[in-house]
Structure formats: structure tokens, C-alpha cells
Amino acid sequence: MGTAYIIDAVRTPRGKGKKDGKIATVHPQELLAQALNGLKRTGVDLNDVEDVVAGCVQQTGEQGACIGRQAALAAGWPNVVTGVSLNRFCGSGLQAVNFAAMGVASGMQDLAVGGGVESMSRIPMGSDRGGIDGNNPHLIELHPIVPQGISADIIATVEKFSRDDVDRFAWESQQNCQRAVAEGRFGKSLIPVTDLEGNVLLDKDEFPRPETTVEGLGQLKSSFAGIMDYRPEIGDGLTLGERAYKRYPNAKPLNHVHTPGNSSGIVDGASAVLLASERYVKAHGLKPRAKIVTSATCGSEPVIMLTAPGPTTERALKKAGMTVGDIDIFEINEAFAVVPLKTMRDLGIPREKVNVNGGAIALGHPLGATGGMLIGTLIDELERQDKTTGVVTLCIGGGMGITTIIERC
């Protein structure tokens, strides 16, 4: 097996995922196309790119029709460049990077792009109408799956994370992000989003709320307590609360600690990561920024759903012959505050190594794009701190996790 080198990583700013968001007017194909064209700064011959692997969760409407291929065409890339789209829920962008890395490391490809896109203002969550369980009564009977927010509250209840714990973590995310913005730490990866005439629509992340306080967060109402009595039309006939307690009776009564302030934000965005084989790097005199050490996925209990970043990271570290202490920086996706809190507790990760520039609570989580974005953020921060190794990990709907370990070149 050869080495997959990361030549460069770029991302768009994250725009608010609402109709009045500054990049809500941009078609998702065009949004990903602009991220792809951000890779032109590497100077590689685009005719050599063998595939664009694009993560996208809501693959319907404007995000349907194999957005990986259509975005490459919209970007004006050569017709020989193919594209493919995949959905591993919130892990889609990182899985796209990993699949592209597998292609070049195996020797079957020499140059590939991984990344993703999600325009949550134009194609909201649930647009594919399938939900996590696909409205399959048999699956629901086997696993009484509930919305992720309820899963997050189950974790908080069982693990005894308080409302203050999750709010304080959310405030730290905002503070870290505010410092990163003030110091220009995102500048290396960010490319501005323009309209078709070239007018800049957004050149910095739109979602952060630097004015956030712990006291203000404490005044927000729970996002998920109100849906516990909802009874889905398809499935086992139970309410969402009854489903939750069926699998986790020890979580009753559920402590609903998650709010809009300590959960990931709904945003638009796209990412692109260029990967090359060792022979391509040598043949073209490229200077890689990093390399993929290894990657892993792992499943966990599908009702609680969000606990797999820990075991997935352990699996990846074991493959690499490494320990938590060998990792300089961790990017743990902040789907809900309890996810990084539990991952840090389970693996013994020091807080000062985690999401040092904030995370999805402050910046937002454009589902299919986030994994690729975090790769770029991690490389930028490793370079800034002159550190060597880093981990990106995300929880995934249906009870999965995904982890990638990278090393600076």
C-alpha cells in the first residue's frame, strides 16, 4: 500500500442556512464548484484528476443528479474528470476524503479530490423524506431510532453531563472561534463565494456569535423536550419518548440539556481536498502539506447513535500503532456538545488539544461538507503550531463514527 498525500485543502465560508443567508442564492452545484476551483492554486493539471468524490447528505432536488460530477462540470473542469456522490450522514465529507485517499494509496489512481457540499438553506434536513430509518417498520421494530437530539440528551443523562457542562463547552467553542477569526487562523483554507458575475457574496464565516455568554446560553429552552410525545405514523406505534425509554430505561426521566446554543448550527458550505499518490508527487515535484496515516469507521448502538467517535478513534490509533498521547490536535465534530465531551472523557483527551479554533457549535455543520472542512482546519492549525499529527472524527446518524489520522509532511 502506498501513501496518500494531501496537496491542499480549501473550503468556502459557512453561510447561515436560512433563506436570508448570504450564500443561499448559490446553487449547491456552484458552491461545490467554487471549492473545487480553489484547488487551482496548486497548479496541478486538472486533466490528471481522476475522480471527484463528494459527500452530500440530502441528495435530492438541486443536490441530486450526482452532484460530484455536475459540480466538476459547473466548475469548468475537463470532461475527463468524473465524479461520484456518497451519503454517510454527517461523516460524508470525511468519507469522501478517505475514499479518494484509498484510491491514490492503492495505486489505482494518482490524483483525486474528496470533499462535499450541503446547502441547508435550499435543501433542508429531511428533504429526502426517508429519515434515518428510511420509514422501515421492521427496522424501527429492531431499533427504535429517535431523532439525534433525543439521542444526545440520552447520552447526557446516562453519562451525567449537566446543562452547565454542555453550555460551558459551547461558550468555549465560541471563544475559541472568536480568537481564531481575530488572528486570521482560517485564512489559509478559506476561499470567497461569489455570484456568477464574480461579485463576492461571502468571504468569512457568517454563523459565529462572539457575543455569546454562559448566562445567555443558560436562558435558552431545550430543543427536544417538546417532541417526546410525538407519535410517528410509521413504525412501532410508540411515541419518541417511549422509544427512547424502551432501549434506555435508565435515562428516565430524560434530562433535556441541548438547545440551539450548544448544538451544531445549520449552515451552507462546501469543501475540497486534493490527494495525490507518491509517484505523482515525485513526477510533478509537488510539495504535499500532509499525508493520511490511516482511517477507520466503527458502529455503535443505533438508538443512542452518537457515541462512536471514541471506539472509531481507538480503532484508527491501533491500526497506526499510536496512542492518544501521540496526537497533537483533535478535531471532534460538535454535532452536540455532549459528543466531544464524552469522546474526551472516554479517551482521556486533554481539553486544550480539542477544537482549538472552535467547532460546529460556533461555525455550523454543513453536513456533507464538514469532514473535508475539518481536514483543512486541522492542517492549518498543525502548521501554525508547528505540530505533527492530528485526528478528525465525527459521530454519524444510525450509530456510526469515522476517524482519520493525518501527519504533516
Side-chain angles (χ1 to χ4, degrees):
M1 183 67 68
T3 300
Y5 288 100
I6 299 174
I7 307 304
D8 204 3
V10 299
R11 71 171 178 91
T12 69
R14 296 166 173 90
K16 290 182 180 179
K18 298 181 179 179
K19 295 302 180 184
D20 61 350
K22 291 186 178 180
I23 56 176
T25 57
V26 181
H27 193 289
Q29 292 177 4
E30 301 295 336
L31 196 58
L32 180 54
Q34 293 192 36
L36 293 176
N37 279 334
L39 295 174
K40 287 182 175 179
R41 68 189 188 183
T42 63
V44 301
D45 185 346
L46 296 180
N47 287 285
D48 293 340
V49 177
E50 297 183 58
D51 210 4
V52 172
V53 187
C56 185
V57 176
Q58 298 296 323
Q59 293 187 38
T60 186
E62 293 176 334
Q63 290 184 167
C66 188
I67 197 168
R69 167 63 170 175
Q70 309 304 354
L73 293 176
W77 283 27
N79 291 343
V80 296
V81 181
T82 58
V84 64
S85 304
L86 65 88
N87 178 10
R88 199 192 282 276
F89 298 130
C90 296
S92 299
L94 189 58
Q95 186 62 72
V97 173
N98 291 348
F99 277 163
M102 291 175 193
V104 300
S106 70
M108 297 185 70
Q109 296 174 326
D110 282 313
L111 201 62
V113 174
V117 64
E118 208 79 35
S119 181
M120 301 180 78
S121 61
R122 299 170 73 104
I123 313 293
M125 286 189 293
S127 294
D128 60 3
R129 300 184 180 182
I132 291 176
D133 52 40
N135 295 325
N136 179 358
H138 177 243
L139 177 61
I140 295 167
E141 187 66 35
L142 291 173
H143 299 289
I145 296 173
V146 294
Q148 287 190 1
I150 294 178
S151 299
D153 285 341
I154 293 174
I155 297 170
T157 303
V158 172
E159 298 283 340
K160 294 182 170 50
F161 288 110
S162 69
R163 174 66 182 268
D164 184 66
D165 291 333
V166 293
D167 280 349
R168 189 159 296 278
F169 183 90
W171 175 75
E172 290 172 356
S173 181
Q174 295 285 353
Q175 291 294 300
N176 289 348
C177 177
Q178 182 179 4
R179 181 175 60 250
V181 170
E183 296 179 3
R185 296 186 188 181
F186 298 135
K188 197 166 186 177
S189 292
L190 270 179
I191 53 136
V193 175
T194 67
D195 60 22
L196 293 176
E197 286 71 47
N199 301 304
V200 174
L201 300 175
L202 187 65
D203 60 3
K204 62 181 180 180
D205 295 302
E206 188 179 13
F207 192 76
R209 294 146 292 173
E211 72 281 1
T212 298
T213 63
V214 174
E215 293 73 23
L217 289 169
Q219 295 174 13
L220 297 176
K221 293 183 179 180
S222 165
S223 297
F224 306 104
I227 64 173
M228 291 287 282
D229 293 330
Y230 174 71
R231 193 181 306 275
E233 295 179 3
I234 298 175
D236 50 14
L238 301 178
T239 67
L240 294 178
E242 288 167 341
R243 285 187 183 182
Y245 297 137
K246 180 180 179 182
R247 184 62 57 91
Y248 288 95
N250 58 329
K252 191 174 184 177
L254 206 56
N255 186 14
H256 293 284
V257 300
H258 287 95
T259 71
N262 55 42
S263 306
S264 56
I266 294 173
V267 293
D268 303 336
S271 61
V273 180
L274 183 64
L275 297 116
S277 66
E278 187 170 6
R279 66 187 172 200
Y280 191 90
V281 167
K282 290 180 178 178
H284 294 83
L286 298 178
K287 185 177 181 181
R289 297 179 64 190
K291 65 181 180 181
I292 304 289
V293 176
T294 194
S295 64
T297 58
C298 187
S300 65
E301 200 285 306
V303 176
I304 208 167
M305 196 179 307
L306 309 172
T307 59
T312 307
T313 300
E314 288 181 318
R315 176 176 283 181
L317 289 169
K318 184 177 180 180
K319 286 182 178 181
M322 303 172 76
T323 67
V324 167
D326 295 320
I327 305 301
D328 296 309
I329 302 172
F330 290 81
E331 287 289 338
I332 305 172
N333 189 41
E334 297 173 359
F336 301 92
V338 78
V339 175
L341 284 172
K342 177 170 170 55
T343 306
M344 287 189 292
R345 174 189 284 178
D346 288 351
L347 300 186
I349 304 171
R351 176 67 181 94
E352 60 269 19
K353 287 188 175 184
V354 175
N355 300 1
V356 298
N357 294 320
I361 290 172
L363 290 156
H365 176 23
L367 308 177
T370 302
M373 289 182 164
L374 295 181
I375 288 286
T377 299
L378 178 57
I379 295 173
D380 290 348
E381 187 60 21
L382 288 172
E383 291 175 347
R384 190 189 73 82
Q385 292 191 29
D386 194 23
K387 299 292 187 180
T388 304
T389 58
V391 159
V392 173
T393 187
L394 300 92
C395 62
I396 303 173
M400 297 184 285
I402 186 168
T403 296
T404 300
I405 303 174
I406 69 169
E407 181 180 305
R408 274 183 64 205
C409 292

